[in-house]
Each structure stands twice: as C-alpha cells, then as structure tokens.
Amino acid sequence: MKKKILVIHTGGTISMSEDTETGAVKPSDTNPIKERTNELLQLADLIVEEPFQLPSPHITTKEMLQIKGIIERKISDDHISGVVITHGTDTLEETAYFLDLTVKTSIPIVVTGAMRSSNEIGSDGLYNLISSIRVAKCEEAKNKGVLVVLNDEIHTAENVTKTHTSNVSTFQSPQYGPIGIVTKRGIIFHHAPTKRECYDIKDVSKRVVLIKAHAGMDSSLLLAIRELGFDGVVIEALGQGNLPPATIEGIKALLMDKIPVILVSRCFNGIAQDIYEYEGGGKHLKDLGVIFSNGLNGQKARLKLLIALETTNSLKEIEEIFQV
C-alpha cells in the first residue's frame, strides 16, 4: 500500500519557466510541476495543495503560518505519512526553520526547491521533488525535524543555508554537513539531530529587525530601532561576538526598554561567544544583558526571536530558549 504524502506547492523557481526570447524567469499560467503529478503518483498516494504561488522574497510569516495550518489539518484529517513543500530558494531555509520550531509531529516534513526553472537545460526541480517524496515516505526520516532536500543531500532546517546565488549545490550546512544522502537505491542517513524543540503559537504579532555590524558602526540604527517601536533586534556581530564601542549607547538604550538584543556572528562558521572583555567585546555585551545565540545565523535567529516573543516577555526565558 502506497504511503499518503501531502505535497504543498508555494511557488518559486521550481514552479516557473524561462522565457525563451528574453531569458527572464517568471511564473507561468499553470505550475509546470503539477503537470507531472501522474508520474509522481507512482511514488506515493499524493494529496496536492497549492495555497498560493509566490516568489520566495514575497513570503512572510503569514504564509509560513498558513503552511503550518495546512500541515496540522492534514495530519489530523487525512492521516498523512509525510509532507513535501516546494518553495523558492531565497527564503526556503527560513520557512523550513519556522516549521521546524512550530509544527509538533514525528512524520517527515521536507522542503525543496530548484535553482533552474522547469524548461531550462539542467532543470533540477522535478528531480528534487522526486527525491523529497522518497525522503518523506522513508521510515528513517521520522523524528528528525524539518528536512531540506536538494541536489541528493538531506539537511536539517536548523543548520542549512543558501551559500551561492545560482549554483545547484547552493544549500549547505556549514560546520556540520548534510545528515544524509539520496541515492538511486535508497535513502541513507549517517547521523541525526540530538535535540528537538517546538513552540505552540497561533500568530506572529511582534516586530523584530535584523542588522549587520561593520567597522565604524555607531548607535544611530540602534536608537532608530528603539524609536520605531520594534519588539526585538538581532545583530550579526563581528567575529566571536563583538561590536564597535560606539554601539554601546544604543545597546544600553534598547536593553533599558526591555527590548531583547540577540547576538549572532556574521562569520560563516563558528558560534558567537562572550570571550573578549574590552569595550564592545562579547563579555562586556553579555554583562550588559545581550543574549548570545547558540550557533544560528541571523535570519533564523530573527525567526526564533519572533516565535519566542509569542510565548514570553521574560528576557531570562528568552535567553534560555536561545541556548537550546
């Protein structure tokens, strides 16, 4: 008996075509991937949903919540065995991580996409979708959180990130690598996540801004963020977690207003840590009340803070959430 797999199409390059005259890639009148559903039915009993067709830069937490709702409803009503979501690659890792933090289930949830549109030479969309369905119906994929599958590799939503603007092998997991591979003969997992976390939220109502530190940075942006009434800020700091001394005034102003300040590193690898004790150094910032994230990149730390603020206003509890 074939497993019942929910496929949610949301848009992105995987659902677009290239204009043969201009070379522009844009949405088609019909999703070309949906036209291959009959072929895909050989793999599993598919339930296909298409809640919207959006390029991934148009995706917000509103759409992420919509996807979350569809998954939870189908788990309850149709007793599905797995989920595959097709998504544009620009914000794919963010939707995947949002679902990883908010959907409580043991069944596999797989997010995939494409770097080349359906009619380009070397199109990777259909292949990635087939690979993702194979992973989603695999028993070994259970209890591993949300997975990202492209280019024959299986990554966790927490660690994966887009590393190249156009290469088909763009999705990588710095420091950790993929947790499995897709082969012609089967799905192979060689390691698994050691922890899972999930937060019960119904809405995302807070405002969190993400900014990047640079040489000579001052407090101007930080003070503006305070005046604009944001609920939180994530800073991609220098090195192991340091900021120029001219930012301290702004940091203190935000913390005085009980606005959480989360620190990650702008570096590609490594974890932000409270090591340096000079003005603006990590230890100085930690002593002021800045919260250090346990290895997330900036865009994922922003999502986690948005979710955390739906569950608590306590800076101590938010800090504990960021140490998980």
Side-chain angles (χ1 to χ4, degrees), residues 30-46:
T30 58
N31 184 342
I33 288 291
K34 285 185 71 177
E35 295 173 3
R36 311 299 289 266
T37 299
N38 287 337
E39 297 172 44
L40 299 172
L41 283 170
Q42 297 174 24
L43 299 170
D45 180 9
L46 302 184

Side-chain angles (χ1 to χ4, degrees), residues 108-111 131-132 134-136 138 140-141 144-157 159-160 171-173 176-183 186-191 193:
I109 298 176
V110 180
V111 188
S131 296
S132 297
R134 291 176 63 202
V135 172
C138 170
E140 290 76 14
K144 289 183 172 62
V146 175
L147 303 172
V148 172
V149 174
L150 293 97
N151 201 40
D152 285 336
E153 293 183 337
I154 307 168
H155 298 263
T156 65
N159 295 323
V160 76
F171 283 94
Q172 304 291 330
S173 294
Y176 307 106
I179 65 167
I181 58 173
V182 178
T183 73
I187 310 302
I188 301 171
F189 287 96
H190 44 73
H191 60 274

Side-chain angles (χ1 to χ4, degrees), residues 35-199:
E35 295 173 3
R36 311 299 289 266
T37 299
N38 287 337
E39 297 172 44
L40 299 172
L41 283 170
Q42 297 174 24
L43 299 170
D45 180 9
L46 302 184
I47 301 172
V48 180
E49 293 274 335
E50 194 168 8
F52 46 82
Q53 279 291 316
L54 293 173
S56 64
H58 296 193
I59 299 287
T60 69
T61 52
K62 174 187 173 184
E63 285 76 29
M64 296 177 194
L65 279 166
Q66 192 175 347
I67 297 168
K68 172 183 180 288
I70 293 170
I71 293 170
E72 290 172 339
R73 187 173 68 252
K74 291 296 182 180
I75 289 173
S76 174
D77 296 348
D78 294 322
H79 307 292
I80 54 176
S81 300
V83 180
V84 174
I85 301 155
T86 65
H87 197 288
T89 58
D90 284 349
T91 60
L92 184 152
E93 67 190 86
E94 288 166 83
T95 294
Y97 187 56
F98 180 91
L99 297 173
D100 191 51
L101 290 177
T102 60
V103 179
K104 188 173 183 179
T105 183
S106 62
I107 70 170
I109 298 176
V110 180
V111 188
T112 192
M115 294 301 293
R116 296 173 183 161
S117 60
S118 60
N119 61 338
E120 284 186 78
I121 294 173
S123 172
D124 54 334
L126 182 60
Y127 183 84
N128 285 337
L129 179 54
I130 290 170
S131 296
S132 297
I133 293 172
R134 291 176 63 202
V135 172
K137 67 177 188 174
C138 170
E139 285 295 313
E140 290 76 14
K142 290 182 176 178
N143 290 304
K144 289 183 172 62
V146 175
L147 303 172
V148 172
V149 174
L150 293 97
N151 201 40
D152 285 336
E153 293 183 337
I154 307 168
H155 298 263
T156 65
E158 182 177 9
N159 295 323
V160 76
T161 192
K162 187 174 182 178
T163 64
H164 193 286
T165 58
S166 58
N167 197 303
V168 294
S169 62
T170 180
F171 283 94
Q172 304 291 330
S173 294
Q175 302 187 90
Y176 307 106
I179 65 167
I181 58 173
V182 178
T183 73
K184 293 185 184 300
R185 300 194 182 280
I187 310 302
I188 301 171
F189 287 96
H190 44 73
H191 60 274
T194 58
K195 59 183 175 62
R196 292 286 307 279
E197 55 182 316
C198 189
Y199 304 93

Side-chain angles (χ1 to χ4, degrees), residues 182-290:
V182 178
T183 73
K184 293 185 184 300
R185 300 194 182 280
I187 310 302
I188 301 171
F189 287 96
H190 44 73
H191 60 274
T194 58
K195 59 183 175 62
R196 292 286 307 279
E197 55 182 316
C198 189
Y199 304 93
D200 184 18
I201 64 165
K202 305 301 180 189
D203 194 12
V204 178
S205 59
K206 307 298 183 181
R207 298 169 67 220
V208 172
V209 67
L210 168 63
I211 61 174
K212 191 167 192 166
H214 56 81
M217 183 179 181
D218 62 19
S219 290
S220 303
L221 269 179
L222 299 169
L223 294 172
I225 288 166
R226 178 194 184 198
E227 292 302 315
L228 289 168
F230 279 88
D231 301 292
V233 58
V234 175
I235 305 174
E236 291 187 1
L238 309 171
Q240 289 193 358
N242 312 303
L243 292 173
T247 62
I248 298 303
E249 177 193 356
I251 295 290
K252 288 180 176 177
L254 290 167
L255 294 173
M256 191 177 298
D257 281 3
K258 306 297 183 186
I259 299 171
V261 178
I262 310 297
L263 210 71
V264 304
S265 176
R266 72 177 193 179
C267 295
F268 195 68
N269 284 293
I271 295 173
Q273 302 176 81
D274 54 321
I275 303 298
Y276 291 97
E277 200 169 3
Y278 55 71
E279 187 179 10
K283 188 175 187 310
H284 180 212
L285 296 171
K286 184 74 174 290
D287 289 344
L288 290 175
V290 172

